[in-house]
Amino acid sequence: MARCSAPSAPRFEHHDGSVLGIGVPAPRLSWTVAEADAGYVQTAYEVEVTRAAATRVFTVETADQVLVPWPTERLGSREAARVRVRVRDAVDWSPWSGPSTVEAGLLSPADWAASFVSPRSLAGLQAPAPVLRGRFDLPAAAVGRLHLTAHGLYEARLNGHRVGDEVLAPGWTSYSHRLRYQTHDVTDLLREGDNELEVLLGNGWFRGRLGFLGERGLYGDRLALLAQLEVTDDAGGRHVVGTDGSWTATESGVLADDLYDGQRTDLRRPSWGGDGVVDAVDVVPVDLSVLVAPDGPPVRVTQTVPAVAVTRSPSGATILDFGQVLVGWVRLEVRGLAAGAEVVVRHAEVLQDGELGVRPLRTARATDTYLAAGGAAEVLEPSLTFHGFRYAEVTGAGAVRAEDAVAVVVGSDLRRTGWFSCSEPMLERFHDNVVWGLRGNTVDVPTDCPQRDERLGWTGDIQVFSPTAAFLFDVGGFLTSWLADLAADQLPDGSVPYVVPDVLHDAAPTAAAWGDAAAVVPWVLYERTGDTAVLARQLPSMRGWVDRLDSLAGESRLWAGGFQFGDWLDPTAPPDDPFAAKTAPDVVATAHLVRSADLVARAADVLGRHDVAEHYRELAGAVREAFAREYVTPAGRLLSDAPTAYAMALQWDLLPTAGQRAGAQRRLADLVRASGFHIDTGFVGTPLVTDALVGGGGVDVAYRLLLQTSCPSWLYPVTMGATTVWERWDSLLPDGSINPGEMTSFNHYALGAVADWLHRVVAGLAPAAPGYRRLLVEPRPGAGLTSAGARHHTPYGEASVAWERDGELLTVELTVPVGATATVRLPGQDELTVSHGSHRWQVPDPCRVSAPRAPRTVRDVFDDPAIWAEVVSVTGAAGIAADEAAIAKRLTPFLDAPAGELVERLFAHGPHQARDLLIKQLQPLLTP
Ligand code: BGC
């Protein structure tokens, strides 16, 4: 008997469960094995494939179980296969897994008999949303499939029943290169004889407002639909009908719809048209070779959140509070309104002075309006828009109760795969905020923000956030699709648009950290999912980007000058100048060139393209040398003398000598002390700084930075009631007012990228081999937390690490999924390797305090949290410095001075009446 449980039913590519309408004709398979005896190692697997009536079994001798090749002939269009797997160790076969079914979509443009159709005279830019209608006489269906897509958004009904549960379909891709179609099982909605298919079309990304320049209709000015209904009768005959010139169009009750501005709906009109002018349709020519099947999950309603309070604002407005910044819309039940009464719902993420704070939305109106049908009760809810909000102001609905409203959360229906917990509730709340930030910014495309007139696929944001995203949710298919858009929108010279899909159309978009998404995101996906195909597909795009930078750098090997975002939103940059970071843009640029060239070399090696790898390794080496020559002193000081510069140099191996590395590590830690343990990095440095500190032995300094609560810091927003990660460190200022900067979002994920470090380093759960086939378990407990843990559904199954320390002992618990192993490094212990199962260790607590030691230097004073807190409090009370940052700044020049001289050093600028008091209060702490 086998020594393991039956494998899970196989997954296909990055899809969960059975898949309808897959676009990959030879889908790779993955499975997990929930339980196995200690010595179990897979030596072979069998795949049973049933297609048409024939069943075949394929045996493969290997330990692989993630994204293994399709074992047989490719699927044809519409072809389905039922697949099971079983595995064997040295002893015997496991039971068979349950089956899952994969069915191909329409794989070739020639499979489409239908044509795109568009209303002839209705559906102008300012006109109501149209409903397109087709009627078909069909035989009884054994199987029915509806394949469809649109220019614009669509929502379909067959014989009066909604098709599927997707919203905002077909989603957003680089439409001129890739337009997604969806496939639905409509067998149960069909009837013998007359059938009616109705499709509501909205403007969406295709024709609505997009970008901060106020443009509309960026992809075209006509809404259009492509729908093909395929019915297989009992005898196996196929009947294909679809959009053609016989369709008609009417106006729906949706008078206006826009993603930014909201939706206006007249509920007195039949919502699906039905009355009024019946328009003909035109068949419009569209190149069907752009059609692609989905790689990831669609956008759906993922949750509803009840209103927690209804308040009256100072101006008398009724405001609903959902208690959470989220993305979607409000569903509101109203009663007893007169026909035609207008109800207005406006949205905002924050309140200012008790009123909706809508300035951060810029020109996005984010307003849904309804003209009531009149009657006892009616439900108001849009479907062709979305908003980022926590609060909604309702006008015209009479008395609104909290139980009348829910917030409907929409987003790509990504499977949650990662969790973090710890002993500090504020840090847990921060982590929840990261999760909500991700949910709100994955509405089909990884965006910067979900609320203002932007919501674009900014490359820099996902570049820094992709490791966090890949831990928290299964983003394999989601990012695979986005990377295909990136490659499609990449310029012929290799430049990468600032946003993907590209709607800004900059002629020469080359910005470090933004364009580098081309190299970084595929590598992150490979590292986290084990998918080599994504590397193979993206390699030309990755190379294109680095080649472009290579040519920009030229002989000097320094990428200097030209437009850069740089270390965007460095907290010391003024609100109206986010470019004004401390780290020179040239330093950021050349560092990124090294990093991306390195990643291309590594990707090429994985793919066996060693000649290609060699080229990029040499390039990375040459640029590294140039960087060190130009920007690094022999002792390891950097231009710029700012945390982001050191963090990049340390994390990306830009410092040639051990002495320079040690010097840079010391300097970075001192810069963090100098800021009074406040964050001092923007988009570029934020994901790196804590790793760089820990790498240099500065675990405690990293924890001080992590657990800081005053502004700027990760936890400051939590103290201000944040429920998402903000765009700026101080989107809400300490006085509760909204940051005056023109870009002030309360839902931006970039600065939450430190969550990846919480998972990998604080909890200690990291991938050591692609797809977590080997885990690196190296928890780094620090003062300030007594416990932490992370769980992740790796491609092999659930892995978890949890630690707890009690001042004497550190207890570490680890679960390794079947098929994976773990390299374990515990404080003060030799490295060990363990295989699947549960493990537990106890070692001396690395944070235990032996006898308290008097500080020797001023630096030691900074590093002792208790003494430092006393220094800050006493100096604050004496009116010497306003806060921790100010006192740190004052003392920074004296870090190496004896601790006993601290008070003297404070008064270096002259006498002060508090001198004697301070000596009395502090001196006992500072001298042995
Ligand atoms: C976006 C950012 C983006 C940036 C470019 C902003 O408006 O919201 O997150 O990366 O522009 O620097």
Side-chain angles (χ1 to χ4, degrees):
M1 199 42 208
R3 299 185 298 162
C4 69
S5 55
S8 63
R11 305 177 83 211
F12 302 101
E13 293 292 312
H14 293 287
H15 299 277
D16 287 325
S18 290
V19 194
L20 202 53
I22 203 165
V24 181
R28 294 165 298 166
L29 309 173
S30 311
W31 58 87
T32 57
V33 172
E35 279 170 38
D37 290 353
Y40 166 86
V41 177
Q42 179 188 305
T43 57
Y45 64 78
E46 273 183 355
V47 185
E48 180 198 83
V49 181
T50 306
R51 54 207 293 185
T55 296
R56 286 164 71 192
V57 173
F58 304 87
T59 310
V60 182
E61 307 275 332
T62 174
D64 295 349
Q65 65 180 91
V66 170
L67 295 167
V68 304
W70 180 249
T72 175
E73 293 89 33
R74 298 154 78 86
L75 296 169
S77 287
R78 311 174 179 90
E79 193 186 357
R82 214 176 74 114
V83 183
R84 302 194 297 167
V85 292
R86 62 176 185 162
V87 293
R88 193 187 67 196
D89 69 353
V91 180
D92 202 359
W93 288 102
S94 72
W96 282 99
S97 73
S100 31
T101 302
V102 62
E103 181 178 310
L106 301 182
L107 301 177
S108 147
D111 295 322
W112 291 88
S115 310
F116 272 90
V117 295
S118 176
R120 184 163 299 162
S121 46
L122 301 180
L125 263 177
Q126 309 298 335
V131 174
L132 274 61
R133 199 170 265 104
R135 304 191 80 91
F136 317 100
D137 196 35
L138 291 168
V143 177
R145 295 287 182 259
L146 176 63
H147 309 277
L148 78 173
T149 187
H151 282 174
L153 305 177
Y154 74 77
E155 215 181 289
R157 290 204 315 188
L158 185 55
N159 297 323
H161 298 283
R162 196 179 192 304
V163 175
D165 57 2
E166 307 190 0
V167 297
L168 305 174
W172 188 17
T173 46
S174 170
Y175 294 132
S176 37
H177 302 103
R178 303 176 67 246
L179 174 62
R180 247 188 246 130
Y181 70 93
Q182 283 79 23
T183 299
H184 294 277
D185 179 358
V186 292
T187 314
D188 294 340
L189 303 182
L190 287 163
R191 58 192 178 208
E192 187 173 353
D194 189 34
N195 286 269
E196 184 182 51
L197 179 60
E198 304 165 287
V199 185
L200 171 70
L201 295 182
N203 294 310
W205 296 279
F206 190 89
R207 198 179 72 159
R209 214 140 69 79
L210 211 47
F212 39 78
L213 302 174
E215 294 168 303
R216 285 191 74 167
L218 283 171
Y219 294 97
D221 58 6
R222 283 188 88 169
L223 300 178
L225 170 71
L226 176 72
Q228 180 158 313
L229 185 57
E230 305 199 346
V231 167
T232 310
D233 61 29
D234 287 330
R238 197 163 69 224
H239 307 262
V240 178
V241 294
T243 38
D244 61 18
S246 74
W247 279 55
T248 58
T250 53
E251 287 185 338
S252 73
V254 177
L255 303 182
D257 64 279
D258 185 83
L259 297 179
Y260 293 174
D261 293 331
Q263 184 168 326
R264 182 173 174 82
T265 311
D266 187 344
L267 295 158
R268 294 168 303 180
R269 301 170 64 155
S271 52
W272 285 79
D275 65 349
V277 179
V278 178
D279 193 14
V281 298
D282 290 327
V283 169
V284 288
V286 175
D287 174 7
L288 299 186
S289 70
V290 302
L291 296 176
V292 294
D295 297 300
V299 178
R300 292 196 176 99
V301 171
T302 58
Q303 188 180 348
T304 54
V305 175
V308 293
V310 186
T311 54
R312 190 157 283 272
S313 76
S315 72
T318 301
I319 295 185
L320 292 164
D321 178 3
F322 294 95
Q324 171 65 52
V325 171
L326 48 79
V327 172
W329 54 69
V330 175
R331 181 189 296 152
L332 179 67
E333 198 175 319
V334 293
R335 284 165 307 274
L337 295 183
E342 188 177 68
V343 177
V344 180
V345 184
R346 297 164 67 226
H347 305 76
E349 292 178 330
V350 284
L351 299 181
Q352 180 152 6
D353 303 325
E355 307 287 346
L356 287 193
V358 292
R359 182 172 54 80
L361 306 181
R362 297 197 305 220
T363 68
R365 290 185 57 236
T367 302
D368 294 330
T369 314
Y370 306 88
L371 299 171
E378 42 193 322
V379 174
L380 313 183
E381 179 176 9
S383 66
L384 300 175
T385 189
F386 67 89
H387 313 291
F389 65 101
R390 167 174 169 172
Y391 301 96
E393 181 196 278
V394 181
T395 319
V400 175
R401 303 166 309 178
E403 57 268 36
D404 296 333
V406 293
V408 176
V409 181
V410 307
S412 290
D413 195 4
L414 305 170
R415 180 171 52 98
R416 180 88 188 259
T417 54
W419 295 266
F420 172 80
S421 59
C422 70
S423 55
E424 171 49 62
M426 277 202 285
L427 193 57
E428 289 195 327
R429 178 67 237 195
F430 168 77
H431 192 266
D432 284 348
N433 294 357
V434 174
V435 171
W436 275 102
L438 181 148
R439 291 178 67 186
N441 283 298
T442 47
V443 183
D444 211 41
V445 161
T447 52
D448 57 334
C449 62
Q451 75 296 80
R452 66 180 178 223
D453 52 359
E454 202 153 349
R455 317 184 194 185
L456 303 178
W458 283 97
T459 47
D461 302 46
I462 190 64
Q463 187 269 117
V464 297
F465 191 68
S466 50
T468 303
F471 186 90
L472 294 174
F473 287 86
D474 178 359
V475 290
F478 174 85
L479 287 179
T480 292
S481 176
W482 183 77
L483 284 170
D485 287 324
L486 183 150
D489 279 348
Q490 200 165 0
L491 276 68
D493 69 4
S495 303
V496 173
Y498 303 133
V499 297
V500 171
D502 186 14
V503 291
L504 299 180
H505 300 299
D506 193 283
T510 44
W514 271 252
D516 292 282
V520 173
V521 178
W523 183 259
V524 168
L525 271 192
Y526 164 67
E527 189 180 57
R528 304 302 175 105
T529 67
D531 188 351
T532 49
V534 73
L535 289 184
R537 256 193 322 269
Q538 296 301 128
L539 189 67
S541 155
M542 299 169 82
R543 294 178 65 177
W545 169 248
V546 173
D547 291 349
R548 172 73 183 133
L549 304 187
D550 187 8
S551 74
L552 285 175
E555 294 285 286
S556 73
R557 298 303 203 202
L558 295 168
W559 178 14
F563 174 83
Q564 294 291 352
F565 294 112
D567 191 23
W568 187 248
L569 290 173
D570 173 326
T572 47
D576 60 352
D577 189 4
F579 291 94
K582 291 181 289 300
T583 305
D586 288 353
V587 173
V588 171
T590 299
H592 277 84
L593 172 49
V594 174
R595 181 176 188 224
S596 284
D598 260 345
L599 292 180
V600 176
R602 290 160 75 178
D605 270 335
V606 170
L607 299 169
R609 306 278 304 274
H610 301 298
D611 51 328
V612 174
E614 199 41 45
H615 169 77
Y616 290 96
R617 234 188 320 274
E618 271 171 24
L619 174 63
V623 180
R624 257 192 188 93
E625 274 172 32
F627 183 95
R629 218 174 27 242
E630 191 80 7
Y631 300 130
V632 189
T633 70
R637 279 287 184 114
L638 269 141
L639 178 82
S640 310
D641 188 28
T644 292
Y646 290 98
M648 288 188 303
L650 288 164
Q651 288 309 104
W652 301 338
D653 200 9
L654 304 177
L655 304 166
T657 70
Q660 286 171 316
R661 283 193 292 279
Q665 284 161 346
R666 269 195 309 275
R667 183 64 189 158
L668 174 61
D670 277 349
L671 288 175
V672 175
R673 293 182 182 100
S675 68
F677 305 97
H678 288 87
I679 195 76
D680 207 12
T681 49
F683 273 31
V684 168
T686 296
L688 305 174
V689 65
T690 45
D691 272 306
L693 287 166
V694 170
V699 177
D700 289 341
V701 178
Y703 269 69
R704 297 280 291 279
L705 193 58
L706 175 69
L707 297 173
Q708 175 63 263
T709 54
S710 59
C711 188
S713 66
W714 283 292
L715 297 188
Y716 160 71
V718 176
T719 69
M720 298 297 283
T723 59
T724 34
V725 174
W726 297 344
E727 175 170 30
R728 295 171 179 271
W729 294 110
D730 56 353
S731 282
L732 207 58
L733 301 177
D735 67 5
S737 64
I738 298 169
N739 186 302
E742 180 243 1
M743 309 167 333
T744 303
S745 137
F746 292 88
N747 198 355
H748 246 67
Y749 52 47
L751 300 179
V754 71
D756 184 54
W757 179 78
L758 295 179
H759 310 141
R760 279 187 297 103
V761 180
V762 172
L765 178 55
Y772 294 85
R773 194 168 188 164
R774 187 157 53 83
L775 313 174
L776 175 62
V777 176
E778 189 177 7
R780 304 303 298 256
L785 293 185
T786 53
S787 66
R791 273 191 307 130
H792 180 55
H793 289 173
T794 75
Y796 293 86
E798 180 168 316
S800 67
V801 180
W803 58 256
E804 196 170 347
R805 57 178 200 82
D806 63 6
E808 289 299 321
L809 288 177
L810 171 72
T811 306
V812 179
E813 292 182 358
L814 165 66
T815 309
V816 181
V818 176
T821 59
T823 298
V824 182
R825 295 186 196 143
L826 300 178
Q829 312 295 307
D830 289 340
E831 176 175 306
L832 44 129
T833 301
V834 297
S835 64
H836 63 266
S838 301
H839 308 270
R840 185 170 186 273
W841 296 273
Q842 282 196 318
V843 300
D845 181 353
C847 312
R848 74 186 176 287
V849 261
S850 23
R853 243 186 5 172
R856 284 185 303 110
T857 62
V858 171
R859 184 181 286 100
D860 294 341
V861 173
F862 275 77
D863 289 351
D864 185 313
I867 300 181
W868 176 248
E870 192 60 22
V871 169
V872 172
S873 137
V874 169
T875 49
I880 291 163
D883 54 25
E884 186 173 8
I887 183 80
K889 191 162 172 215
R890 226 158 143 152
L891 287 172
T892 297
F894 311 108
L895 286 174
D896 290 315
E901 291 176 15
L902 183 142
V903 175
E904 290 303 326
R905 301 299 186 176
L906 270 180
F907 300 115
H909 303 302
H912 193 284
Q913 72 257 26
R915 188 175 174 278
D916 292 342
L917 178 69
L918 255 66
I919 291 191
K920 189 159 153 253
Q921 290 183 315
L922 292 180
Q923 214 57 23
L925 295 173
L926 302 174
T927 40

